[in-house]
Structure formats: structure tokens, C-alpha cells
Amino acid sequence: MTVKYTEDHEWLKIEGNIATVGITVHAQDALGDVVFVDLPAVGATFAQKETAGVVESVKAAADVYMPVSGEVTEINEALKNDPSLANSDPMGAGWFFKIKLSEPSQLDALMDETRYTAFAA
């Protein structure tokens, strides 16, 4: 399993040609208490950097961008029912959606943990 990060503060855990996507600890810290998430429909396809959802907190609303091109294969129903999972476990139970990669080479341009940590500092 490989983990990559975007400049939009999203993480991707890549297993084969499926990536699980969520927001980073840095993002949830900046947003504050998450109160609502709007997730994409299963089966929807997106190009890289298209808006795939929205996360709303007590401080602000922010778009969630598709980190790589692909088709949504699963959404986190538990997160829809309990948006606070994005705060309490952003890299685990607070994942947003899973996508089937259509252009895996796009992963090469994303950051590893060391680069992301320096970027977010």
C-alpha cells in the first residue's frame, strides 16, 4: 500500500488500481469541527482536480477535489451519517470515497509523506 498527498490536503491510499481518498489531519485541523459532507455518486467519473464533493465545518465549506482521474467505486456511508469521523480519524474511519484509477501515471506527480509534511508546515 502506498500513500500519496495532494496540495489540496487530500490523501490517497493506493492498493492495486483502487485509491481510498480522504482529507489530511492538516485539513481537518484548519476546517475545525466537520458538520456535513457531500460525497460523489458511486459510478460517477471525474477528471483530476474536478470537484468531487464538499466538506462543511463550523468555520467554512471547502470543495473536495478528485486527486486523480477515475471512477467512484464506493463512498463512506458512515461518514455521511457521522461527519465528525473526518475529525476523529481522518486517515482511517473518516475516509471519503474510493476510486478506480483511470490514469495511474498521475500518482507520480503527487507528494509522499515527507514532501507533504514539509509542504503543510
Side-chain angles (χ1 to χ4, degrees), residues 35-81:
V35 295
F36 176 78
V37 292
D38 181 32
L39 300 175
V42 172
T45 58
F46 293 88
Q48 186 178 36
K49 299 191 178 196
E50 281 188 315
T51 302
V54 175
V55 59
E56 292 182 18
S57 72
V58 293
K59 292 182 182 177
D63 289 335
V64 176
Y65 299 103
M66 187 61 72
V68 290
S69 299
E71 176 184 347
V72 177
T73 60
E74 186 177 347
I75 62 170
N76 187 351
E77 295 289 346
L79 181 66
K80 287 181 74 171
N81 296 327

Side-chain angles (χ1 to χ4, degrees), residues 91-103:
M91 298 287 290
W95 63 276
F96 279 48
F97 51 85
K98 295 183 180 188
I99 55 174
K100 182 177 179 182
L101 306 173
S102 63
E103 296 183 45

